[in-house]
Amino acid sequence: MNEHAYCTDCVFVCEDCDDVRDMEQRIVVGVMSYCDDCASYCNRCEDGMDNDSSRTVDRDESWCEYCWENYSYYCDSCSESYSGDCTYVQDTPYCERCYESECYWCEDCDESFTNDNSCDCRDNDNDRCCRAYRNSGTIHDYSCKPNPKFKGTSKHNMYLGFELETEVQSLDSGARYASSNLDGIAYLKHDGSIGNGFEIVTHPHTHQEYRENSKLLWDTIELLRTKYGARSWDTDTCGLHIHLSRKGFKSGAHLHRFIAFVYHNAPHMMKFAGRKSRFARFNDVYTFDEYDRPVFSLKHKVASPAFTPSERYSAVNTQNAHTIELRFFRGTMNTSGVLSALDLAQAMVEYTRDLRLDDVKLGALSWDWFADYVVSNNGLYPDLYSRLDKIQSVDINNKIVANA
């Protein structure tokens, strides 16, 4: 305030900082008056509260102590407070994000468990697996997560697993055939988005293992297509999702380069994948500044999934604690098509592994640079290499009906 004299109807003295302030800056807390630098209003009840009593809820709201104690819960996993409902796992409250990344629901036990605490349904003994598998002997519940069996040896601990959704004309016989043939290699799961079929979920394999030692897997997929009427590409319900080990990335910077490459080349990714899908969005990396201009940001993508919100239905899903998921591929029962997607995933990981900042500034995240890398290493990625020249001519709005 200036040196003029003011009456007490026009000014007040802040209880905390002792500054003399205009009445428009006054916030009443109980019977005390605070300035708006030392107090604020509770976002829930809208009562005044001093800064020492303010509690953060839902990461960006300020609540008073009473509302915080009575209407929020504290997630022990991410050490944050939230409004709404929580999920208790063995008497410990979890927020939605931590629950999805660190826990699972077992329909058979009718209970939730943490990922490192297996229930009977995650035991390798099929007699104790989920109810759906015990009843059918072929297809697991969607929520069932058998313990992973890692195939092959990876220098960088990079393992890939894929989920291939398929509609099957001869469902029962096809499921019996696939479940028996793929035991220990992959398993079948229900998926509510598939009308009459299942998803094939592989155990984690190295890229080399898929290419050199997985003949039974590819023969099974091929016979599902030719004998049992399995379809994936020419449907509106099926996709191919590829998971990559988080531990396989060299560093946080490597993961950042990998994700940036995918999003910077969205047109090529969609053309290669054969689709544009609302379940694999490429626009979730854009925010808007104060002038409503789009701003590209991967901050929410590379941070820990337990602490930073991100979109699951995006091209690159980073919500999982142990894997990065590529969701943008159209499903295909053509084994070369699946292998080309695995080639692309592995090639992008290795291409971005040792890129330097100077390389990126020169344009290393462009598709042309990457294509040169694939051509130079065509023996490692033969199915991807064979498709490079066809990508530009693909029209993602014109679905090609193939034997897939």
Side-chain angles (χ1 to χ4, degrees), residues 22 54-55 74 91 118 205 207 241 309 349:
D22 189 284
S54 176
R55 298 289 183 267
Y74 182 78
D91 297 325
S118 298
H205 290 56
H207 177 252
H241 304 163
V349 170

Side-chain angles (χ1 to χ4, degrees), residues 233 268-275 328-331 344:
W233 182 276
H268 290 88
M269 296 299 161
M270 291 186 202
K271 289 183 176 184
F272 182 89
R275 71 171 183 173
F328 50 87
F329 301 100
R330 182 183 293 278
L344 176 63

Side-chain angles (χ1 to χ4, degrees), residues 210-329:
Y210 279 123
R211 296 216 61 92
E212 298 179 1
N213 299 307
S214 297
K215 185 175 185 301
L216 181 58
L217 170 64
W218 306 123
D219 287 349
T220 301
I221 291 175
E222 177 65 13
L223 199 60
L224 277 173
R225 180 179 71 87
T226 58
K227 182 177 180 179
Y228 297 96
R231 302 161 53 243
S232 191
W233 182 276
D234 52 338
T235 72
D236 294 321
T237 59
C238 298
L240 169 65
H241 304 163
I242 296 178
H243 288 259
L244 303 102
S245 307
R246 280 185 176 270
K247 290 182 178 180
F249 289 92
K250 183 177 181 179
S251 61
H254 179 200
L255 178 59
H256 188 282
R257 292 191 296 269
F258 173 84
I259 299 175
F261 177 79
V262 173
Y263 281 94
H264 280 308
N265 293 283
H268 290 88
M269 296 299 161
M270 291 186 202
K271 289 183 176 184
F272 182 89
R275 71 171 183 173
K276 177 181 179 181
S277 172
R278 63 187 177 92
F279 297 110
R281 297 167 49 237
F282 278 89
N283 60 3
D284 65 313
V285 293
Y286 292 93
T287 57
F288 295 89
D289 65 13
E290 64 269 32
Y291 303 108
D292 291 334
R293 295 173 299 189
V295 178
F296 183 86
S297 174
L298 295 178
K299 182 179 180 181
H300 62 300
K301 287 288 188 183
V302 296
S304 168
F307 293 95
T308 306
S310 63
E311 172 62 54
R312 177 189 177 192
Y313 295 117
S314 58
V316 183
N317 171 26
T318 58
Q319 283 193 356
N320 301 311
H322 304 295
T323 65
I324 301 299
E325 180 186 18
L326 304 181
R327 296 179 52 87
F328 50 87
F329 301 100

